[in-house]
Amino acid sequence: MSRARKLGLYLEIFSTMMRNIRVGLKRGLRRPASLSSRRVSGIIDITGLYPQALTPGDTVRGENWLAGDYTLPGALVKVANTSPFDVPVANSKWLASLHGFDWLRHICALSAQRGATAAAFYVQDWIRRNPVRVKEAMRSDVIARRLMNWSAAMPTILPALERREIDTIRQALSQQSKYLARCVDEENDGVRRLTAAFGLAYAGLAFSGDGQWVRQGVEVILRELRRQILADGGHVSRSPASLADILNLILALEAAMQARTVQVPATLVETRKRMQAMLALICHSDGGLGLFNGATARAATEIAPLLAGLDTKNVMSYAQRSGYQRLACGKLCLLVDAGQTSGGAGTEMSHAAPLSLEMSYAQDRILVNCGPNLVHGEKWHLASRGVAAHSAFGFDADMSDPFLRSGLAARVLGHRLKPENWHVTCRRVEDATGVWLETSHDQFAASHGVRYNRRLFVDTTGEDLRGEDMLMPASSKSKYIAARFHLRFHLHPQVSATLQAGGSSVLVVSHSGHGWQFRFAPQADQILKIEESVFMGDEGIPQRCQQIAIAGTLQPKDTQMKWAMRYVGRIGRRR
C-alpha cells in the first residue's frame, strides 16, 4: 500500500471514530423509544401502500420457519417449539435480520388463514416483548425495514385481527416512525443510511400531517443516491444484491408516493431507470442474479418485478464504471467481473476476485462463484470473499491479504477491501464470429511478480466458449517464484462432472441435461482435476458441489493455460 493511501486510511479511521463518538453521545442522551401511546394521531390506512409484487414469498421457507428453522444471515438456527425472539443467539447480523422482519413475506405466502394467523402472531408477539433496548432492533435501517415489511404484510394479516389489535399495531408503527425521524442519518454504512431514509419517507406517506418526514427522507435519499450510484447505474459496492435491494426500495417509495398523489422527483426516476438497466446486465439467462461481490441467488420471480417497464430484449453488454461484462450469444450467457476495485467505503461486503466469471445456458447455471458464507462467522465469510471461492485464477499461498482483517482499522471501518489499485483492464471486440474479451490485472504483482491476463471468446451460436489465461513477469526486475496455482471453475450443485480421455477433458451435465465438454491443453506440469467444492449462493448456506481445477507451477517466463467448453447436446434429463 502506498504512503498516500495509508495516510488516507488513517484519516478515514480518525474521522469515523469522531463521528461514532458524536453519534454515541446523541444516542445516550436520547429518550428510549416507546411502542405504546395514549393516542394515535393522523393515521392513514396503509393497506396497499407497499406493492406486494416486490416481495414475493417462498412457501417452503414459510413452512420451515413455522417448523422452527430460523436460519437467517448471521447464523444457522433450528429450534422447534420456541419463538424466534426467545432464541439466545449472540450474533448481531442474525438479530438485525430477525428484527427487520424480512422473513415475514414467506409466512404471508402460506395459505390465507394459516399465513394470516401466523404473521399476525409474530407481529403482535414482537410488540408484546417491547424489545426497544435491543440495540440491533432499534438500529435505524432495521426500523425502516420492519416498518415496510409490516406494511407489506398488512393486507394479509388485517382480516385475522380485531379492532383493538389493529390499533396496537398502528401505535407501534407510529412510535417507531417518530424514533426513526430522530436517528435517520446516524448510520456510517451507506446502504444502511439509505434504507433508513427510505423508511422515514415511507412513514411520512403512511401517516397524515407528516410531510416533514417525507421531505427529510427524500432529501437524504437523493443525497445518498448521488454518492452511491455510479454513472452506469451500478452501486459503489459493485454488489448486485445491494443494487437490487435499493431498487426495491425506490419502486416501493414511488408506488407509495403515487398512491398519495405526491410528485415523484425526476432525479429519482432517472436514477431508477439507470439502476434497472444495470440490474438487467448482471442477470443470467434464467433471470436470476449473478453471484458477484456478496450477492446470493435471487430467482427470476424476485428480479422480474424490479425490471418492470424495462426493455429486457435490449440489455446492456457492459458497464464501464461498475466493470461488468455480459457476453450473451444464443442461449449462453457469460458474466465477467472486470471492474476496478480500489477499496474504501462501500466495500465492506465486496469480494477480491478480479476477472472471475459465471456461465449459464438457457435455464441452467453451469459455472458459478461460490457466493458468501453468511452463517458461520466472520472467518468463513472472509474466506468466501477470497479468490479461491470464485471461478478465477489464484495462487495456493503467499498472496497479499486484500482485506482489513484485524486491528483498529478493521474494528472501526469493518472488513473492507484495502485501498489498493489492481489496474484491471478490459477490451471488448464483437465481430461476425462472436465476442472477444481481453482482460488483465496485477493483483499478484507485489506477492509473485506477475501480471495476469485472460482472453475469452464466445461464438455467435453460444455453443463454443474458449479461454486463455497467461501469467507474465510484471516487470524486468520481477523475481521468479516457483509458486503453485489453481485455475478454478466452480460448478453449480445441480451440475455433474466426469473426467474423460485420460484426464484431458471433463463432461459437464446440467440439471436439464445439457452437456458440455471441457477441454484442456496441458503445458509443463499442469494437470486437470475434479475436486470437491462448496456452494453458498443459496441464502449464504454451504452445500456441496464440484469444481474443475487446473493445477500447475509458475514457470520462469510465461505461464499459459488454454481451455475450452463446447456444447455437445442433450445428454438426458436428470431429476
Side-chain angles (χ1 to χ4, degrees):
M1 191 186 304
S2 67
R3 183 178 300 178
R5 291 182 183 274
K6 284 184 179 180
L7 178 60
L9 181 63
Y10 294 149
L11 290 174
E12 187 173 5
I13 292 173
F14 178 76
S15 64
T16 302
M17 289 177 65
M18 292 299 100
R19 188 179 192 280
N20 290 343
I21 291 173
R22 290 197 304 271
V23 171
L25 289 173
K26 287 176 62 178
R27 289 174 177 172
L29 297 173
R30 182 183 300 135
R31 187 174 61 183
S34 174
L35 299 182
S36 60
S37 176
R38 292 183 179 180
R39 67 186 183 88
V40 183
S41 61
I43 293 295
I44 292 180
D45 188 2
I46 58 178
T47 303
L49 260 192
Y50 197 103
Q52 289 184 301
L54 292 179
T55 56
D58 184 341
T59 55
V60 174
R61 291 288 309 282
E63 292 288 355
N64 291 342
W65 186 273
L66 296 184
D69 184 356
Y70 305 136
T71 297
L72 293 169
L76 281 167
V77 179
K78 295 183 180 180
V79 185
N81 302 318
T82 302
S83 169
F85 304 113
D86 286 330
V87 178
V89 177
N91 182 305
S92 60
K93 288 184 179 179
W94 187 86
L95 287 171
S97 301
L98 175 68
H99 291 286
F101 277 79
D102 290 332
W103 46 269
L104 191 63
R105 59 195 173 101
H106 304 306
I107 309 299
C108 293
L110 300 175
S111 60
Q113 184 61 38
R114 191 176 183 211
T117 302
F121 168 78
Y122 284 121
V123 172
Q124 294 178 90
D125 188 35
W126 189 92
I127 295 172
R128 278 194 300 270
R129 293 170 185 273
N130 196 29
V132 294
R133 296 195 180 275
V134 178
K135 181 176 68 173
E136 291 81 8
M138 301 311 292
R139 213 172 68 192
S140 59
D141 63 306
V142 176
I143 295 175
R145 283 162 42 206
R146 184 165 59 244
L147 172 67
M148 289 188 282
N149 284 321
W150 284 12
S151 299
M154 280 298 161
T156 300
I157 67 177
L158 282 179
L161 298 174
E162 297 179 356
R163 182 66 188 179
R164 175 179 54 82
E165 295 170 329
I166 294 174
D167 288 341
T168 300
I169 292 176
R170 285 174 166 169
Q171 286 177 357
L173 286 169
S174 177
Q175 295 304 310
Q176 290 177 83
S177 300
K178 292 176 182 177
Y179 185 83
L180 178 60
R182 298 196 296 268
C183 63
V184 66
D185 207 15
E186 292 181 354
E187 289 294 334
N188 281 326
D189 182 271
V191 176
R192 289 184 186 178
R193 192 184 309 126
L194 193 52
T195 302
F198 274 106
L200 181 63
Y202 190 88
L205 294 166
F207 301 98
S208 64
D210 290 313
Q212 175 59 31
W213 289 356
V214 179
R215 289 190 292 272
Q216 182 183 355
V218 170
E219 180 181 340
V220 177
I221 288 168
L222 296 180
R223 183 192 71 204
E224 289 300 316
L225 288 178
R226 285 194 297 271
R227 289 180 60 249
Q228 298 184 41
I229 302 303
L230 304 175
D232 57 19
H235 187 254
V236 67
S237 68
R238 302 180 56 250
S239 169
S242 296
L243 182 66
D245 291 340
I246 296 172
L247 186 55
N248 191 312
L249 294 172
I250 291 177
L251 289 170
L253 180 63
E254 285 187 4
M257 295 179 82
Q258 291 167 359
R260 295 289 182 256
T261 62
V262 176
Q263 184 176 2
V264 180
T267 305
L268 187 64
V269 175
E270 188 271 334
T271 302
R272 185 252 300 163
K273 290 180 178 179
R274 284 190 286 120
M275 293 173 67
Q276 287 179 313
M278 183 64 212
L279 185 64
L281 184 151
I282 47 181
C283 285
H284 278 282
S285 54
D286 62 358
L289 277 187
L291 303 184
F292 296 94
N293 288 298
T296 55
R298 304 280 182 95
T301 53
E302 190 172 348
I303 297 299
L306 305 181
L307 301 178
L310 182 71
D311 182 8
T312 54
K313 293 182 179 179
N314 296 307
V315 177
M316 291 194 305
S317 298
Y318 64 92
Q320 186 172 0
R321 291 295 303 277
S322 299
Y324 288 104
Q325 293 279 340
R326 177 188 177 91
L327 286 69
C329 298
K331 297 180 181 180
L332 183 144
C333 178
L334 185 72
L335 300 179
V336 182
D337 180 359
Q340 180 62 58
T341 302
S342 56
T347 62
E348 292 81 6
M349 304 294 286
S350 299
H351 290 200
L355 307 188
S356 60
L357 58 80
E358 289 198 330
M359 169 190 151
S360 59
Y361 186 81
Q363 296 298 306
D364 294 340
R365 300 287 179 98
I366 310 293
L367 304 179
V368 296
N369 293 316
C370 294
N373 186 309
L374 301 178
V375 295
H376 287 137
E378 199 57 50
K379 288 186 178 179
W380 258 94
H381 187 211
L382 282 170
S384 68
R385 293 170 63 190
V387 68
H390 297 76
S391 292
F393 174 90
F395 286 98
D396 295 356
D398 300 324
M399 289 193 300
S400 301
D401 190 353
F403 305 112
L404 297 178
R405 193 176 295 268
S406 59
L408 180 63
R411 292 196 299 272
V412 175
L413 303 177
H415 299 290
R416 62 171 61 171
L417 291 176
K418 292 179 180 177
E420 299 191 2
N421 191 336
W422 294 331
H423 300 99
V424 181
T425 67
C426 182
R427 178 173 176 265
R428 180 186 180 111
V429 177
E430 299 184 26
D431 57 28
T433 62
V435 184
W436 296 82
L437 203 63
E438 297 182 1
T439 58
S440 68
H441 69 72
D442 61 7
Q443 182 184 12
F444 313 120
S447 60
H448 293 81
V450 295
R451 183 168 183 83
Y452 173 73
N453 296 269
R454 163 168 275 183
R455 298 181 67 202
L456 299 168
F457 170 75
V458 177
D459 79 331
T460 53
T461 66
E463 298 183 354
D464 186 12
L465 166 63
R466 303 175 204 170
E468 178 184 68
D469 297 79
M470 182 176 292
L471 297 161
M472 299 184 296
S475 70
S476 58
K477 298 180 181 179
S478 297
K479 184 179 178 180
Y480 167 65
I481 303 173
R484 295 289 297 174
F485 63 76
H486 274 79
L487 176 60
R488 304 177 189 275
F489 301 89
H490 295 277
L491 302 174
H492 191 272
Q494 295 182 325
V495 171
S496 65
T498 308
L499 275 174
Q500 292 183 328
S504 63
S505 68
V506 177
L507 178 63
V508 177
V509 184
S510 72
H511 175 68
S512 299
H514 294 290
W516 289 81
Q517 185 183 47
F518 183 98
R519 294 177 287 113
F520 166 61
Q523 298 188 17
D525 65 342
Q526 296 172 11
I527 58 172
L528 180 66
K529 302 183 293 183
I530 296 178
E531 299 179 346
E532 289 188 353
S533 183
V534 59
F535 179 75
M536 297 162 286
D538 187 5
E539 303 292 338
I541 303 172
Q543 56 181 304
R544 289 183 178 181
C545 66
Q546 295 176 295
Q547 63 174 309
I548 299 171
I550 297 174
T553 304
L554 187 64
Q555 299 301 303
K557 294 184 178 180
D558 295 347
T559 304
Q560 189 178 52
M561 293 151 281
K562 289 186 176 182
W563 53 272
M565 290 187 70
R566 183 179 293 275
Y567 183 65
V568 295
R570 300 297 285 267
I571 305 299
R573 288 188 177 275
R574 301 172 59 219
R575 294 184 179 179

